[in-house]
């Protein structure tokens, strides 16, 4: 079993990772040049994963479009740019701090996996508002720009990782301002949950249950804060993902529909045409025609 037993409060106080000299020693990137396997984690926002203890094994796509298996230790980090993917194998004891950089919020999770028990023995999650005038998004963009560099463990990349980690630590350490309405916090948490689980069969009721609020209150919060319904937002996320996969991967339409949370292909076809104005096939053909014209 692990012996680190770090908590998010430890991290917020600077007692984990942020104070380590020379950390991280190695940065591994998960890319998107090959289609992700079923079960892989792939969202539209960048994710950084820092190994605190143990061994974190992942199936990844490298910059040469090869599917590889990588083991990361306590002095190493995984960077997954937006729309790229990774597939944790959870085959060894490990403790991982994950950061998900949304458009307006930072999702933080700290998990401990026991290979012997085949389960997560500890899970902590928080969501923090990202100030609109802060440097975090620029730091994330600078880090992901190293995605195709052969020297991803260069001093520049390591310093960026340290800066991002420290900024995230400060966001967690500082309490939410009193003037921020509770409904805004619920809305951000709901958006984060949808962005992480859009490929599953989630509903208004399941998201409301996750937030521990009533479905009716959840619907009102979503309309007030997001200027749209939950269903419209979920559809927007799913169709956006489908467009990306049609542009990037030569997968059958039925697989794309399934990976975007549509179990009924005919319904996926109908919704895609309504939102985009073209069928999935027409959209893919137009993208390919545009690429051929540029070649």
């Amino acid at each position: 079993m692990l012996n680190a037993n770090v908590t998010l409060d430890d991290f917020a106080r600077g007692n984990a990772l942020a104070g380590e000299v020379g950390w991280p020693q190695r940065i591994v990137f998960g890319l998107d040049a090959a289609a992700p396997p079923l079960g892989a984690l792939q969202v539209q926002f960048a994710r950084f994963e820092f190994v605190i203890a143990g061994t974190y094994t992942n199936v990844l796509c490298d910059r040469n479009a090869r599917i590889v298996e990588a083991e990361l230790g306590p002095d190493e980090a995984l960077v997954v740019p937006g729309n790229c993917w990774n597939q944790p194998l959870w085959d060894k004891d490990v403790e991982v701090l994950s950061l998900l950089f949304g458009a307006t919020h930072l999702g933080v999770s700290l998990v401990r996996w026991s290979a012997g028990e085949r389960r997560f023995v500890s899970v902590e999650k928080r969501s923090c508002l990202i100030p609109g005038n802060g440097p975090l998004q620029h730091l994330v963009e600078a880090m992901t720009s190293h995605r195709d560099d052969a020297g991803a463990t260069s001093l520049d990349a390591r310093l960026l990782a340290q800066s991002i980690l420290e900024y995230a630590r400060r966001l967690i350490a500082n309490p939410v301002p009193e003037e921020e309405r509770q409904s805004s916090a619920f809305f951000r948490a709901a958006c984060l949950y949808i962005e992480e689980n859009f490929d599953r069969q989630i509903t208004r009721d399941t998201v409301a249950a996750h937030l521990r609020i009533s479905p009716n209150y959840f619907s009102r919060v979503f309309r007030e804060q997001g200027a749209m319904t939950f269903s419209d937002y979920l559809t927007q996320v799913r169709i956006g993902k489908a467009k990306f996969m049609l542009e990037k991967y030569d997968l059958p339409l039925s697989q794309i529909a399934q990976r975007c949370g549509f179990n009924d292909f005919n319904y996926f076809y109908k919704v895609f045409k309504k939102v985009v104005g073209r069928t999935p096939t027409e959209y893919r053909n137009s993208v390919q025609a545009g690429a051929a014209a540029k070649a």
Side-chain angles (χ1 to χ4, degrees):
M1 290 299 297
L2 305 175
N3 55 19
N5 294 319
V6 171
T7 68
L8 285 181
D9 286 336
D10 292 329
F11 174 60
R13 288 191 294 265
N15 296 335
L17 295 182
E20 297 293 328
V21 177
W23 191 97
Q25 289 297 317
R26 183 169 76 117
I27 299 173
V28 176
F29 281 77
L31 303 179
D32 65 345
L38 287 173
L41 304 176
Q42 186 180 40
V43 297
Q44 68 187 99
F45 299 116
R47 291 177 288 119
F48 292 3
E49 304 198 323
F50 303 95
V51 183
I52 296 174
T55 302
Y56 190 39
T57 310
N58 276 263
V59 175
L60 304 170
C61 171
D62 69 11
R63 60 197 181 97
N64 296 314
R66 296 175 301 191
I67 304 297
V68 298
E69 189 172 304
E71 287 192 347
L72 290 85
D75 60 345
E76 298 173 331
L78 173 65
V79 174
V80 186
N83 288 314
C84 295
W85 60 267
N86 68 301
Q87 185 176 37
L89 296 184
W90 306 116
D91 58 345
K92 297 179 176 65
D93 289 353
V94 68
E95 186 165 7
V96 180
L97 175 72
S98 298
L99 306 177
L100 172 66
F101 303 94
T104 60
H105 54 270
L106 169 69
V108 184
S109 65
L110 178 63
V111 301
R112 297 180 68 236
W113 171 265
S114 168
E117 299 181 40
R118 298 295 305 164
R119 68 183 183 91
F120 292 105
V121 294
S122 177
V123 177
E124 285 189 85
K125 292 193 175 186
R126 296 186 191 176
S127 178
C128 311
L129 179 67
I130 299 176
N133 58 351
L136 186 58
Q137 296 293 7
H138 298 293
L139 290 171
V140 172
E141 290 173 7
M143 171 59 85
T144 57
S145 70
H146 286 273
R147 55 184 287 171
D148 295 321
D149 293 351
T153 54
S154 67
L155 180 60
D156 285 350
R158 289 163 57 193
L159 290 174
L160 281 169
Q162 292 172 13
S163 298
I164 290 167
L165 196 66
E166 174 61 16
Y167 194 88
R169 184 193 69 77
R170 293 181 183 181
L171 286 180
I172 297 171
N174 295 327
V176 176
E178 289 295 330
E179 64 271 14
E180 182 179 348
R181 297 171 55 194
Q182 186 181 49
S183 59
S184 178
F186 279 133
F187 175 71
R188 293 196 307 275
C191 290
L192 176 62
Y193 185 82
I194 293 167
E195 289 155 7
E196 291 181 323
N197 297 277
F198 68 89
D199 57 331
R200 303 179 184 181
Q201 295 308 300
I202 58 176
T203 65
R204 180 196 69 160
D205 290 359
T206 60
V207 181
H210 172 75
L211 299 176
R212 299 182 181 180
I213 59 177
S214 73
N216 288 337
Y217 178 62
F218 171 75
S219 293
R220 180 163 62 84
V221 164
F222 219 91
R223 286 194 301 270
E224 290 176 353
Q225 297 292 320
M228 66 175 67
T229 66
F230 159 77
S231 295
D232 287 342
Y233 185 80
L234 178 60
T235 297
Q236 183 183 85
V237 171
R238 285 174 167 170
I239 295 302
K241 186 65 175 183
K243 289 172 65 179
F244 170 80
M245 297 191 77
L246 287 166
E247 296 168 9
K248 194 72 179 180
Y249 307 123
D250 189 24
L251 291 172
L253 297 182
S254 58
Q255 283 194 30
I256 291 178
Q258 183 181 18
R259 295 185 185 207
C260 294
F262 294 95
N263 283 341
D264 185 334
F265 175 76
N266 290 329
Y267 180 67
F268 163 69
Y269 192 93
K270 178 181 178 181
V271 171
F272 189 96
K273 185 175 181 180
K274 179 181 178 180
V275 173
V276 181
R278 286 176 282 182
T279 68
T281 300
E282 290 170 344
Y283 183 81
R284 172 179 273 170
N285 290 341
S286 68
V287 170
Q288 293 174 345
K294 294 178 180 179

